[in-house]
Amino acid sequence: MTIIKSAELATNDTAVTQDNMAALRSGDIASAAPGERPGLHGGAHSLHRQSPSTVRKLKEAAKTLLPDALFLSLLHHKCIGRYPNLIRPVTFNEKILQRNLHPDPRYIDLTDKLLVREYVARKIGDKHLIPLIAAPDAFTPDVFDALPDAFVMKANHGSSYVELVRNKSETSFEKLKKLADQWLRAEFYYVGRERHYRQIKARVFFEQLLLDQRGQIPADFKLHCFGGRPGRPIIYILVISDRFGNATHGDVYDIDWNHLDIAIGDYKRSAAPAPRPRHLQAVLDVAARLCEDFDYVRVDLYAPDDRVYFGELTFTPGAGVLPFTPDSVDYQWGKLLA
């Protein structure tokens, strides 16, 4: 088990115990859908007689016994196909894994989707913030009754905690409260052991529903910004279209809107590039301002019509287990990240 040795050398986490090894033998670490904890697949024969919910709970409990570095090494192998070098990281994903384990203290407030609004307002002005409807201490019937007919419910402490409501009459307080409580109970840290998430106090909040002139949800611009050098940052733009529909695509462009032959994660490329946004330069300028204090950050923006709105800052995208096609991009981007 050379990977265990390398994981122990790369971190001060607790040593692998017999309980850890038992958890490993019970199944493999596997990737999970966004917002879910990665699961242990397979199981000891003695577990097969248990109910599925009991088996799942036992596997989840077993995973929490694994030291962070070991967990991430196994997850990286599962998702990327090789064990990471945590001592001398080379690839983009390996360097992101190091951020998971040793996050900059600034990541805590800037990853919090509510607290980051103050930073964004100082850097680029509050005109780029999606209007905040409510950020209550508790989600109550009175809060629900005061919401407009259309809104977005989010949680501040993780990824993919998003519920779009186009018509409040088609949902209910009880339905949204159940979902909000589910989010608030989730410890997002366990998804990818991104340690800065442990320090975020979970809250639910409500924003205005952004729509373009056609009444459609705008595309999600995820700008991978590599700074830490004189002049403009190096930026690659991942555009997620129809994110909440049935024809979701993810396309990567350079700053000149060349459609690159790159796929990130599970997103499929479109057959043809989207039209170049008329205000692409405004999008790039906003991203450049928001990334200037960091050697790397992913800046998420929305660009409906001629406007630019802030989404979030992400310092550990994919938790360091983000597949690239071709795989060489992992090494190329690794050279850009100090």
Side-chain angles (χ1 to χ4, degrees):
M1 292 286 292
T2 56
I3 185 60
I4 295 176
K5 183 180 293 184
S6 67
E8 291 176 338
L9 287 172
T11 182
N12 292 325
D13 289 348
T14 56
V16 178
T17 65
Q18 290 182 346
D19 287 339
N20 299 152
M21 295 307 298
L24 285 174
R25 285 192 292 269
S26 72
D28 295 327
I29 299 293
S31 60
E36 297 180 354
R37 297 181 181 181
L40 286 168
H41 289 283
H45 295 297
S46 61
L47 298 181
H48 290 171
R49 293 186 296 273
Q50 307 284 347
S51 68
S53 59
T54 301
V55 172
R56 183 181 180 86
K57 290 177 181 178
L58 289 173
K59 289 179 178 179
E60 292 293 342
K63 284 187 298 180
T64 64
L65 299 174
L66 295 175
D68 289 349
L70 176 56
F71 176 92
L72 289 171
S73 294
L74 293 167
L75 186 58
H76 185 279
H77 181 266
K78 183 74 176 182
C79 297
I80 307 300
R82 57 178 174 270
Y83 290 117
N85 186 335
L86 295 179
I87 302 173
R88 296 181 181 84
V90 173
T91 68
F92 176 80
N93 276 305
E94 289 170 346
K95 292 180 178 181
I96 295 301
L97 290 181
Q98 288 283 29
R99 289 186 169 203
N100 290 5
L101 298 171
H102 307 287
D104 186 317
R106 295 177 296 174
Y107 295 172
I108 299 170
D109 286 354
L110 297 182
T111 300
D112 185 317
K113 292 177 176 57
L114 281 171
L115 295 182
V116 71
R117 294 172 64 91
E118 300 175 13
Y119 176 82
V120 172
R122 291 197 307 270
K123 295 289 290 186
I124 59 174
D126 57 13
K127 67 180 181 180
H128 294 290
L129 292 172
I130 300 173
L132 182 65
I133 298 171
D137 292 329
F139 184 28
T140 64
D142 288 342
V143 172
F144 176 79
D145 291 341
L147 293 172
D149 289 337
F151 57 88
V152 181
M153 183 174 79
K154 298 181 178 180
N156 68 322
H157 68 298
S159 175
S160 298
Y161 297 142
V162 179
E163 179 72 4
L164 304 182
V165 176
R166 286 180 173 268
N167 188 338
K168 191 168 70 169
S169 65
E170 296 178 356
T171 187
S172 66
F173 166 73
E174 290 76 18
K175 177 182 177 181
L176 294 182
K177 182 66 162 62
K178 181 179 180 180
L179 180 59
D181 288 346
Q182 177 183 327
W183 291 348
L184 295 176
R185 286 194 302 268
E187 296 183 57
F188 192 77
Y189 151 76
Y190 283 110
V191 174
R193 303 299 174 93
E194 298 158 282
R195 289 177 172 173
H196 48 293
Y197 280 101
R198 301 190 82 171
Q199 308 302 318
I200 299 175
K201 180 181 178 182
R203 294 179 64 185
V204 169
F205 63 101
F206 302 86
E207 287 181 341
Q208 176 181 310
L209 175 63
L210 279 187
L211 299 173
D212 62 23
Q213 292 179 350
R214 301 171 301 163
Q216 302 298 313
I217 303 295
D220 192 352
F221 284 61
K222 298 181 180 296
L223 296 98
H224 292 265
C225 303
F226 297 88
R229 58 179 58 81
R232 299 278 292 191
I234 296 173
I235 298 178
Y236 292 95
I237 312 164
L238 171 62
V239 181
I240 310 299
S241 55
D242 198 31
R243 179 183 172 190
F244 300 98
N246 298 318
T248 304
H249 287 86
D251 296 278
V252 182
Y253 301 88
D254 64 16
I255 60 172
D256 296 317
W257 206 248
N258 294 307
H259 192 205
L260 304 180
D261 190 14
I262 296 173
I264 299 179
D266 294 329
Y267 292 113
K268 295 182 179 179
R269 294 176 73 247
S270 300
R276 178 190 177 106
R278 291 179 301 175
H279 59 315
L280 175 61
Q281 191 57 52
V283 172
L284 294 170
D285 289 345
V286 167
R289 286 282 289 141
L290 290 175
C291 79
E292 63 186 5
D293 296 329
F294 313 101
D295 56 4
Y296 167 80
V297 64
R298 196 190 77 202
V299 179
D300 291 6
L301 302 172
Y302 302 100
D305 307 317
D306 293 324
R307 299 167 292 165
V308 181
Y309 288 102
F310 171 77
E312 64 180 87
L313 297 179
T314 301
F315 297 93
T316 53
V321 294
L322 187 62
F324 291 94
T325 305
D327 181 59
S328 59
V329 175
D330 201 1
Y331 291 88
Q332 294 168 4
W333 284 22
K335 293 179 181 178
L336 300 176
L337 181 53

